Every structure is written in structure tokens, then in C-alpha cells.
């Protein structure tokens, strides 16, 4: 039985295809359309999934959509009624798009599908899952556990913003929900907005900024803004927020509580924003920990599955793991709405169709999250040649050795191999790599390669067998969704003078023997690399370890600020030629910047809207 | 027509018949807004979409 899952019409459109419960392909539309967080119907992603499975749309048994538009509309109306007459401006702007399009999503979907399969009757084959049901399914069904507690947290779907429950065999049952407008995701987004970053994309930046600050405002937030109970349930004081009725996240009362208006985007970051970031991060962690403990108590499970946008908060995830309420935690790599496409397909298969779930007993069902397009060596050579690239074709061993040598010599490497990742993290399929021992690497990659804020940290990829020697972590973290501290023996003692530094000044002090991936609080967002899921990347790090003694690489996404991660060899070449990346390794093709025609470079820095 | 049928079924399942007059009024007023405005560009704010 083949089922396609679709998430669309909000942000991060995506398509996924499962065949008899096995995940065959999944990808976000933005990677194909090159529009960041593209929200249109994922036509290109869907075409790719069908091509990967070698089928046409009429060979698909069901199409599952990741949320229920009527329920969402009900929430909108009830919210407007509850707050009337406030909110009229928001109502006036929202209703046209709902009355013209969004309310008719079923027929819109049917029309889009008819374009590809005109003679097919979609009426009984189009299924709808609830938003948090999709998240919960994407968290549990692909996990390696036969049974587990499930916790999903995000901004908002229909009504639910947080849901708790458990999965067992082929059933997922959510037993508790927290409903809109009380939302942990929206609380975090409110501080994202208030600290001058963009809602829905700047949340990572707030998390990255937090270690530079002190959680000075955490108690103020808990005393005034959010009331958190022992079991992790919470209520927001809505008088501080504007998102129910207005066009902003926070209001004047919020400004008065924190003694200033929101920071203007792209202006200088001060210690205040860092302290605010640290404070909301601390509050979020406290809520996540309490929710985790309470779902552990409810279910008696030793395994936990997480999904929803808040599950991308890897700092909170790391703390949850160390809290020991659970022995094992598995986090869906596409925890945001894109992953809802996969979840919806799995709801259709296991829940609506009652099909059994098969576990392989070794790995999870995500195949390392390498679920996107792949290009053969022949295709890569043709596409690079057509792009005007000059390259050498190396044998497998030569390619690995040359890349490891270039890394050891401090080069920034574009690494394009195998299938593209599904989810927001690059995991060694479409990555920019560097040497973590180089103290200048973080600044170089941020400013010269990625054109992004210098404070933003980078993540390490480490061989699975070496993770415990280098980090205070001894479990799998294949999707870069757990944060752990660098192991004591690799840290560098700080002088008193260095310890007294504040804010961004901390950035320039190397804190360990792998400074490029050690954040200012010694933390690192760890990816464990497994030979079974990515043998080439594993071989590269192993070779680098043999040369340098260090089994770790800096791994960041292959894109610049505001650009979707590269998908094709052409995208990779364009990014390589136009930025500070010095070497591109694309399949077995090895490209050095000096050999290329500089005329091919584009003005890449200003090409993308800032995120 | 199938849209109205589905909307009716939705209200039955959710037991939200009190929404009916509001939705009807909204469809009338919303229709007017759409007709007079012409554009369906909504603002970028989290909860609306």
C-alpha cells in the first residue's frame, strides 16, 4: 500500500511517500523551488517522491494531508469571537484568504492532484490527520521503539499546542493536550520577535544566543507571563501578547514588563538580548523537563519520542535526556511542520488502515534521514560540466584522502554526497565542513562562507564510537538534536580575566581543543556518524582522525543565510563559486576554487532575503 | 455543494452549531470584503495561517 503525505499552505511544505509502512522518500518543497520555507502545494517534492518510488500518482492508494482546515478555521473564529471587538484588523486581513482559499483546501488539493492524474477519483482517497496527530505519528512510528511515551510541542496546529500520550505497536493515543492560545512554541516565538529576530526562523538564533547571557529575567517571566504547574501544564497571561488579535507577537504591556520596546531587526545585539534569550531558554527547559517527567509518570515508559517545532530545541532535549526520566529519547529529525507530511502518511497507514508496524530491531525507520534526491556520478559530471565547473574525478580512496587533507589544512569544504537530508539539519549529505581544532574556523565560516551573525555556533559530527571520549554523551544522536558538553579533558582552563568577559567578547576565547564547535558554555550540538547510514561521511571522518587524532568535523548546512540548503550539483556549484568555500567535493568530483572561472561567481551575499 | 455538506458534518461532529450563524454572517461580510478588496494577501503573523 502506497501513501503520500503532504504538508502545505502554511510554511515548510513537504511531501513524503511510504510503501507498506517503509519510508521511501521525503523532501521539502523549498529545496526544489529555491524559495525559503516555501508554503505552496509541494508539486516538485511530490514529483520527486513518485520518481524515487518509480510510480505515478495513480499508483498511490491514499493521499494524507497533515492537518484539518475546518478545525483550524473553528479555532480562528472562536478566537475572534472571544476577543471581539479587539482583533478586527487581524480578522479583516485574515478572512479574505480563508474565504477565498484556505477554507477550500480539500478542493484545492483535489484540483492539484487532478493536474497529475486527471482520471483518478480522489474523493475517497484524500485523508486528513490532525496536526498534532501527524507530529505524534512522525515521532513514534519511525522510532526504534516498540512502545514509548510521546510528547509533541509546537506553536499551534488546530487547537493543540502541546500533546502527551503514548505509542504501542501500531497505535498512537494522545491522552492530554494543552490548547491554543497557551503555547510553548508561541511563547518562544514571542521572545524571538521581541529580541529582533524573525518568527518561525529566528528561534534557532535565540537558542544560540542564550549561552552568552544570564537568565536574569527567568523569574520575571515565571511570575508574570507564564504560570507553570508541577506537571508541566502551563497558562500564558494573554494580556502580554498580541498574537490572538493583532499583527505582532507582543504588546506594550510586555514592553513595560521588560522596560523597553522590541529590538529592531539587524541592529546591534546587546547584553540585554542575550539575557532575554537565556531567560526564555531557561523557562522553556523547565517546562519541557516537567512535561517529560509527567509523561514518564503517566505512561511508565522508559522510551520517549519527541516531535513538533519545540523538539528542535536541542539544548532542552539534551537536558531532558540527562534528567533521566527516560532511558532513551528519539527525536524526529524533521520535527517541524515538514515532518507532518511523513506523520500524516503514517497516520493513514497505521491508524486509518489499521496496518501493522514492522520494526527492524536495529535502526530507526528514517534511514539516517537521507530521504531526498541523489545524483549518480555520471549525472554529477554532466551537470557540473554544464555549469562551467573545472574538476578532477578521483577514485573513492583518493577522494576521501584529498578531502581529509584539505580539511586538515584548514580549508572550508562543500560536501555533496548521496541522498539529501529530510529536515532542517545537514547531516553529511549537503554539508559545509571544516576543522574543529582551528580557532578561527567559527568566525571564518560565519562571516566569509555563510554570511551570518558571528555569534552563531557550529555543530560537530563525531564518529559514534568516539562520542563518549569527546562529549558528555554516550548515546546515539544521529540527527544533531541533542546538546551535550565537551568532555572535561578536552576543555581549556579559563584565566580569571577570560572568565570575567561578557557577551560576544566570550566568543574570541578558545574553550577547548576543538574551539570551532565549543559554544561559550562548553556545549555542542552533537551529531553521531554511523557507518550503516552514511559510509562515505564515516570514512571521511575516520581518515581525518587518522591524520589528526581528532574524530570530529565541523558540520554546517550547505547554504548561505536565507538560502534553502542546496539540492542539486548546480546549486552546490553556485554556492561554492560565489562564497568563501575553498573546495567542493561532489560525488567523486573534486573542485578547487583557484581552478574555477571567477566570472561565474554571483553576488550571493545580497541574493537572499535575510532570515 | 460538497463543501457545504462537509461543513455541516463538521459542525455535527464537533457539536458546534452555534458557529453556524457566525459563519453565515462571515461568509456574507467576508464575501463583501473579498469583493471590495480583490486581493487575498494576508499579513505575516503566526496564528492566522
Amino acid at each position: 500500500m502506497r501513501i503520500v503525505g503532504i504538508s502545505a499552505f502554511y510554511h515548510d511544505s513537504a511531501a513524503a511517500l511510504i510503501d507498506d509502512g517503509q519510508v521511501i522518500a521525503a523532501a521539502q518543497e523549498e529545496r526544489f523551488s529555491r524559495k525559503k520555507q516555501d508554503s505552496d502545494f509541494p508539486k516538485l517534492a511530490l514529483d520527486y517522491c513518485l520518481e524515487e518510488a518509480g510510480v505515478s500518482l495513480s499508483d498511490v492508494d491514499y493521499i494524507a494531508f497533515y492537518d484539518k482546515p475546518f478545525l483550524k478555521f473553528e479555532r480562528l473564529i472562536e478566537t475572534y469571537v472571544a476577543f471581539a471587538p479587539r482583533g478586527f484588523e487581524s480578522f479583516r486581513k485574515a478572512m479574505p484568504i480563508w474565504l477565498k482559499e484556505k477554507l477550500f483546501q480539500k478542493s484545492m488539493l483535489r484540483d492539484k492532484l487532478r493536474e497529475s492524474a486527471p482520471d483518478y477519483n480522489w474523493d475517497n482517497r484524500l485523508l486528513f490527520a490532525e496536526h498534532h496527530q501527524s507530529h505524534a505519528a512522525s515521532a513514534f512510528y519511525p522510532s526504534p521503539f516498540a512502545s514509548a511515551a510521546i510528547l509533541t510541542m509546537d506553536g499551534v496546529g488546530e487547537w493543540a499546542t502541546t500533546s502527551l500520550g503514548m505509542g504501542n505497536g501500531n497505535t498512537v493515543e494522545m491522552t492530554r493536550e494543552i490548547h491554543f492560545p497557551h503555547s510553548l512554541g508561541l511563547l518562544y516565538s514571542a521572545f524571538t520577535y521581541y529580541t529582533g529576530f524573525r518568527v518561525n526562523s529566528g528561534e534557532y538564533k535565540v537558542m544560540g544566543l542564550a549561552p552568552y547571557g544570564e537568565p536574569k529575567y527567568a523569574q520575571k517571566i515565571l511570575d508574570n507571563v507564564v504560570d507553570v504547574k508541577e506537571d508541566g501544564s502551563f497558562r500564558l497571561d494573554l494580556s502580554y501578547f498580541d498574537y490572538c488579535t493583532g499583527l505582532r507577537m507582543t504588546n506594550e504591556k510586555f514592553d513595560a514588563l521588560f522596560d523597553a520596546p522590541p529590538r529592531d531587526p539587524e541592529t546591534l545585539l546587546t547584553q540585554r538580548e542575550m539575557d532575554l534569550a537565556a531567560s526564555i531558554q531557561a523557562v522553556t527547559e523547565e517546562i519541557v523537563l516537567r512535561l517529560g517527567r509527567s509523561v514518564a509518570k503517566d505512561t511508565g515508559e522508559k522510551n520517549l519520542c519527541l516531535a513538533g517545532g519545540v523538539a528542535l530545541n536541542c539544548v532542552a532535549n539534551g537536558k531532558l535526556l540527562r534528567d533521566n526520566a527516560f532511558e532513551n529519547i528519539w527525536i524526529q529529525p524533521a520535527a517541524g511542520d515538514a515532518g507532518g507530511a511523513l506523520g500524516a502518511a503514517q497516520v493513514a497507514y497505521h491508524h486509518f488502515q489499521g496496518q501493522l508496524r514492522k520494526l527492524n530491531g536495529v535502526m530507526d525507520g528514517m534511514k539516517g534521514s537521507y530521504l531526498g534526491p541523489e545524483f549518480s556520478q555520471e549525472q554529477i559530471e554532466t551537470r557540473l560540466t554544464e555549469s562551467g565547473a573545472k574538476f578532477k574525478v578521483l577514485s573513492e580512496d583518493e577522494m576521501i584522502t584529498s578531502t581529509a587533507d584539505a580539511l586538515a589544512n584548514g580549508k572550508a569544504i562543500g560536501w555533496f554526497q548521496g541522498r539529501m537530508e529530510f529536515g532542517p539539519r545537514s547531516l553529511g549529505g549537503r554539508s559545509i565542513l571544516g576543522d574543529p581544532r582551528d580557532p578561527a574556523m567559527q568566525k571564518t565560516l560565519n562571516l566569509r562562507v555563510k554570511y551570518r551573525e558571528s555569534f552563531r555556533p557550529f555543530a560537530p559530527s563525531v564518529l559514534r564510537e568516539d562520542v563518549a571520549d569527546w562529549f558528555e554523551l554516550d548515546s546515539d544522536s544521529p540527527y544533531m538534536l541533542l546538546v551535550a558538553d565537551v568532555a572535561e579533558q578536552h576543555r581549556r582552563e579559563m584565566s580569571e580575566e577570560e572568565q570575567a568577559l561578557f557577551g560576544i567578547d566570550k566568543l574570541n576565547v578558545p574553550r577547548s581543543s576543538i574551539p570551532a564547535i565549543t559554544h561559550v558554555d562548553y556545549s555542542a550540538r552533537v551529531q553521531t556518524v554511523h557507518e550503516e547510514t552514511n559510509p562515505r561521511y564515516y570514512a571521511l571522518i575516520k581518515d581525518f582522525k587518522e591524520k589528526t587524532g581528532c574524530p570530529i568535523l565541523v558540520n554546517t548546512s550547505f547554504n548561505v543565510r536565507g538560502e534553502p540548503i542546496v539540492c542539486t550539483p548546480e546549486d552546490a556549484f553556485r554556492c561554492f563559486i560565489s562564497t568563501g568555500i575553498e573546495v567542493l567535493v561532489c560525488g567523486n568530483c573534486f573542485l578547487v576554487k583557484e581552478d574555477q572561472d571567477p566570472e561565474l561567481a554571483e553576488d550571493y551575499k545580497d541574493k537572499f532575503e535575510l532570515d | 455543494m460538497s463543501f457545504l455538506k462537509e461543513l455541516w458534518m463538521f459542525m455535527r461532529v464537533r457539536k458546534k452549531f452555534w458557529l453556524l450563524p457566525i459563519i453565515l454572517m462571515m461568509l456574507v461580510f467576508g464575501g463583501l470584503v473579498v469583493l471590495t478588496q480583490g486581493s487575498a494577501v494576508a499579513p505575516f503573523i503566526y496564528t492566522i495561517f
Side-chain angles (χ1 to χ4, degrees):
Chain A
M1 185 184 291
R2 288 189 200 99
I3 301 179
V4 162
I6 285 178
S7 67
F9 309 132
Y10 175 29
H11 64 101
D12 283 342
S13 290
L17 192 149
I18 61 172
D19 192 350
D20 287 339
Q22 299 299 308
V23 188
I24 304 298
Q28 285 157 262
E29 184 71 358
E30 64 162 27
R31 307 287 172 89
F32 302 91
S33 68
R34 312 305 298 155
K35 276 196 276 179
K36 188 85 174 164
Q37 292 190 318
D38 195 344
S39 62
D40 286 347
F41 178 79
K43 171 88 174 72
L44 301 168
L46 174 60
D47 288 347
Y48 154 69
C49 288
L50 295 169
E51 191 190 323
E52 184 69 37
V55 298
S56 71
L57 197 53
S58 40
D59 298 321
V60 171
D61 297 283
Y62 294 98
I63 303 272
F65 192 66
Y66 84 128
D67 72 7
K68 294 192 173 182
F70 280 175
L71 266 182
K72 221 177 210 182
F73 189 65
E74 175 194 293
R75 166 176 54 87
L76 276 186
I77 299 295
E78 289 193 25
T79 306
Y80 285 128
V81 169
F83 286 90
R86 277 190 297 145
F88 180 72
E89 188 59 20
S90 157
F91 173 82
R92 194 179 67 80
K93 290 192 169 158
M95 279 311 113
I97 199 161
W98 269 93
L99 295 173
K100 259 187 166 177
E101 292 174 12
K102 286 182 174 274
L103 210 44
F104 307 98
Q105 269 173 39
K106 189 171 179 184
S107 43
M108 265 168 71
L109 279 168
R110 208 166 31 210
D111 294 345
K112 294 281 183 192
L113 295 168
R114 273 196 190 129
E115 284 173 20
S116 302
D119 302 326
Y120 209 58
N121 178 12
W122 289 109
D123 283 338
N124 299 321
R125 292 175 186 266
L126 202 47
L127 305 171
F128 291 80
E130 278 187 39
H131 191 94
H132 271 251
Q133 190 184 20
S134 299
H135 277 319
S138 77
F140 176 65
Y141 291 126
S143 79
F145 311 134
S147 72
I150 304 171
L151 174 58
T152 69
M153 302 162 287
D154 72 354
V156 62
E158 294 96 357
W159 279 103
T161 64
T162 299
S163 66
L164 303 89
M166 78 173 281
N168 192 357
N170 71 340
T171 60
V172 163
E173 194 185 355
M174 303 315 281
T175 46
R176 276 200 283 155
E177 284 186 345
I178 297 173
H179 281 187
F180 180 86
H182 306 288
S183 162
L184 184 54
L186 289 177
L187 174 67
Y188 207 89
S189 293
F191 278 86
T192 303
Y193 164 83
Y194 187 67
T195 46
F197 299 110
R198 188 184 272 201
V199 171
N200 269 345
S201 68
E203 284 77 4
Y204 294 126
K205 299 184 190 180
V206 174
M207 189 176 71
L209 197 59
Y212 293 100
E214 296 293 324
K216 285 181 184 168
Y217 302 98
Q219 200 52 48
K220 200 177 224 182
I221 296 170
L222 290 168
D223 289 343
N224 297 277
V225 179
V226 57
D227 178 19
V228 188
K229 302 297 182 200
E230 199 46 47
D231 66 354
S233 58
F234 56 86
R235 286 183 76 80
L236 304 183
D237 182 339
L238 295 170
S239 64
Y240 290 99
F241 300 95
D242 212 19
Y243 59 78
C244 287
T245 55
L247 306 176
R248 302 171 302 168
M249 292 302 291
T250 59
N251 61 18
E252 288 75 14
K253 192 176 170 188
F254 192 95
D255 300 351
L257 181 67
F258 296 102
D259 306 316
R263 167 184 163 256
D264 286 328
E266 304 303 319
T267 55
L268 189 71
L269 278 166
T270 65
Q271 189 61 43
R272 187 182 130 72
E273 281 79 39
M274 297 170 200
D275 293 341
L276 282 163
S279 306
I280 190 58
Q281 181 62 31
V283 169
T284 302
E285 287 163 13
E286 184 57 33
I287 296 174
V288 171
L289 288 182
R290 288 190 196 187
L291 285 167
R293 287 173 202 147
S294 116
V295 74
K297 203 168 141 196
D298 287 355
T299 60
E301 280 291 331
K302 62 179 180 15
N303 304 317
L304 173 69
C305 297
L306 292 174
V310 179
L312 293 170
N313 193 313
C314 37
V315 183
N317 297 345
K319 295 211 167 147
L320 193 54
L321 180 66
R322 287 188 290 279
D323 195 48
N324 290 327
F326 293 96
E327 283 174 28
N328 307 299
I329 295 184
W330 190 85
I331 306 147
Q332 163 58 239
D337 281 1
L342 178 60
Q346 286 168 321
V347 169
Y349 185 72
H350 296 293
H351 185 71
F352 295 152
Q353 302 302 319
Q355 298 290 329
L356 292 178
R357 177 170 171 248
K358 293 180 202 118
L359 287 171
N360 72 14
V362 189
M363 300 292 287
D364 65 45
M366 291 299 289
K367 300 178 178 165
S369 208
Y370 305 108
L371 296 168
E374 181 174 23
F375 297 85
S376 67
Q377 179 61 23
E378 197 186 334
Q379 285 173 318
I380 291 173
E381 286 178 30
T382 310
R383 283 163 175 254
L384 286 179
T385 308
E386 281 169 4
S387 301
K390 308 269 190 303
F391 56 87
K392 284 188 284 187
V393 180
L394 305 180
S395 71
E396 189 70 15
D397 286 349
E398 281 172 343
M399 183 272 283
I400 296 290
T401 309
S402 306
T403 310
D405 282 339
L407 283 163
N409 290 327
K411 305 279 188 211
I413 311 275
W415 176 253
F416 182 103
Q417 303 290 347
R419 293 184 74 176
M420 184 177 72
E421 301 87 343
F422 181 48
R425 304 267 84 98
S426 281
L427 302 168
R430 305 287 184 275
S431 293
I432 296 172
L433 307 176
D435 182 350
R437 300 166 305 151
D438 183 347
M441 188 54 76
Q442 185 192 12
K443 258 194 169 168
T444 308
L445 286 180
N446 267 334
L447 301 176
R448 211 152 53 80
V449 177
K450 305 267 294 183
Y451 305 134
R452 65 182 203 182
E453 303 91 331
S454 64
F455 72 84
R456 294 180 65 184
F458 285 106
S461 291
V462 57
L463 298 179
R464 171 62 183 93
E465 57 268 31
D466 290 317
V467 67
D469 295 337
W470 288 81
F471 301 96
E472 290 179 358
L473 177 77
D474 195 10
S475 61
D476 292 355
S477 177
Y479 306 123
M480 214 185 256
L481 285 168
L482 290 172
V483 162
D485 286 345
V486 171
E488 201 85 49
Q489 69 266 29
H490 296 288
R491 295 186 195 173
R492 189 183 147 260
E493 195 82 28
M494 296 280 113
S495 69
E496 263 179 43
E497 209 173 57
E498 287 169 338
Q499 271 173 351
L501 289 173
F502 272 104
I504 295 285
D505 293 335
K506 288 180 181 175
L507 183 67
N508 300 321
V509 184
R511 285 162 191 268
S512 73
S513 57
I514 39 173
I517 56 89
T518 309
H519 208 0
V520 293
D521 58 353
Y522 293 105
S523 68
R525 179 159 43 91
V526 179
Q527 178 203 0
T528 52
V529 178
H530 304 247
E531 193 171 14
E532 301 81 8
T533 50
N534 196 339
R536 232 176 209 187
Y537 193 38
Y538 180 89
L540 175 68
I541 304 178
K542 204 160 182 206
D543 199 72
F544 183 76
K545 181 188 173 186
E546 278 162 22
K547 288 187 163 75
T548 63
C550 175
I552 302 167
L553 291 178
V554 179
N555 176 8
T556 183
S557 52
F558 199 153
N559 63 346
V560 300
R561 186 178 172 190
E563 181 194 17
I565 295 172
V566 301
C567 177
T568 62
E570 291 93 327
D571 297 336
F573 178 70
R574 214 177 298 123
C575 187
F576 157 68
I577 192 80
S578 309
T579 64
I581 300 173
E582 292 155 297
V583 172
L584 172 63
V585 189
C586 207
N588 288 61
C589 299
F590 196 85
L591 292 78
V592 180
K593 185 56 107 0
E594 290 79 42
D595 297 344
Q596 311 302 321
D597 176 2
E599 296 282 304
L600 293 172
E602 296 174 22
D603 177 18
Y604 224 59
K605 200 171 176 180
D606 301 316
K607 190 173 172 183
F608 302 99
E609 199 184 330
L610 295 181
D611 62 358
Chain B
M1 204 55 205
S2 68
F3 167 78
L4 291 175
K5 208 172 119 193
E6 281 161 13
L7 190 63
W8 176 249
M9 276 164 60
F10 166 77
M11 282 187 289
R12 269 181 56 185
V13 171
R14 297 282 297 166
K15 297 187 176 66
K16 293 271 170 100
F17 292 106
W18 66 271
L19 282 174
L20 186 64
I22 298 171
I23 291 176
L24 283 177
M25 288 298 282
M26 272 194 39
L27 286 170
V28 171
F29 283 103
L32 281 175
V33 171
V34 172
L35 285 174
T36 51
Q37 185 171 306
S39 157
V41 178
F44 185 79
I45 182 156
Y46 201 96
T47 55
I48 289 172
F49 293 83

